[in-house]
Amino acid sequence: MKLEHRFTVPAPAPDVWAALLEPEKVAPCMPGATLTGVDGRTFTGTVKVKLGPVTLLYKGTGEFTSVDERVHAAVLKASGKDTRGNGTASASVSVALTSAVGGTEVSVVTDLNVTGRPAQLGRSLISEVSGRLIAEFAECLATRLAPAEAERVTPTETAARPHLRAVPDEPLDLVGTAGVPVLKRVLPVAAGLLAVVLLVRKLRGRHR
């Protein structure tokens, strides 16, 4: 499936570009993701996903297959597999930056292929979940690109930060992230079923 998103980061395009090309900077902004290694334009990592009562752990690799410094555009390809064999995920992500009023506009086009349990969410829910995650990612990235003087990080805090992100305690909750959209789909169905049950009971009462 193809997903398209746009967001604006209140920082100059060169700063946003440099950050997006550094997995160590962007990985902490992706819910459930942990960066485990970087080798040039290739990196490895894991993504922990919660789908209802089931928690999935995807292990995979990613690589910047195309990087155009002149126009600030790049293509990232990544793939992963659940460690318990419950599904796979692969994506080709095209990113393009343009200067905008107040910062930089980021365009993200994703060709996503998901198999297994997460695919049961359906296209519309996956689209809604990805939109919320992109919004959270944009907010996190904007915070990280804030002027250095605004962060006021002490030497002790700097020394305590690991080079790679530690394994997160909380997985990415797909259903929880969808939130209201899920309820909007479930409630009408539940109401319809309730109406059918009441109608059947009423008809049975008439025939007694």
Side-chain angles (χ1 to χ4, degrees), residues 78-112:
S79 62
K81 183 178 181 180
D82 174 53
T83 55
R84 296 182 180 179
N86 289 318
T88 63
S90 61
S92 176
V93 184
S94 299
V95 181
L97 309 185
T98 55
S99 296
V101 178
T104 302
E105 183 179 76
V106 183
S107 172
V108 182
V109 179
T110 305
D111 285 323
L112 178 66

Side-chain angles (χ1 to χ4, degrees), residues 49-123:
V49 176
K50 182 179 180 183
L51 185 58
V54 179
T55 298
L56 310 176
L57 179 64
Y58 288 87
K59 288 186 177 181
T61 61
E63 180 183 7
F64 286 97
T65 58
S66 174
V67 176
D68 192 331
E69 298 279 354
R70 297 172 302 166
V71 296
H72 290 164
V75 176
L76 166 67
K77 291 189 177 182
S79 62
K81 183 178 181 180
D82 174 53
T83 55
R84 296 182 180 179
N86 289 318
T88 63
S90 61
S92 176
V93 184
S94 299
V95 181
L97 309 185
T98 55
S99 296
V101 178
T104 302
E105 183 179 76
V106 183
S107 172
V108 182
V109 179
T110 305
D111 285 323
L112 178 66
N113 182 31
V114 181
T115 66
R117 292 184 176 179
Q120 297 173 4
L121 286 176
R123 178 185 177 87

Side-chain angles (χ1 to χ4, degrees), residues 108-176:
V108 182
V109 179
T110 305
D111 285 323
L112 178 66
N113 182 31
V114 181
T115 66
R117 292 184 176 179
Q120 297 173 4
L121 286 176
R123 178 185 177 87
S124 60
L125 272 183
I126 290 178
S127 179
E128 289 169 354
V129 169
S130 65
R132 289 171 179 257
L133 294 179
I134 286 291
E136 183 176 333
F137 172 81
E139 182 179 355
C140 175
L141 185 62
T143 300
R144 286 182 166 267
L145 293 178
E149 60 269 17
E151 294 187 358
R152 300 295 182 186
V153 178
T154 66
T156 302
E157 291 173 329
T158 302
R161 291 180 177 178
H163 178 62
L164 300 178
R165 186 187 180 191
V167 177
D169 295 328
E170 294 297 328
L172 167 59
D173 188 346
L174 294 183
V175 176

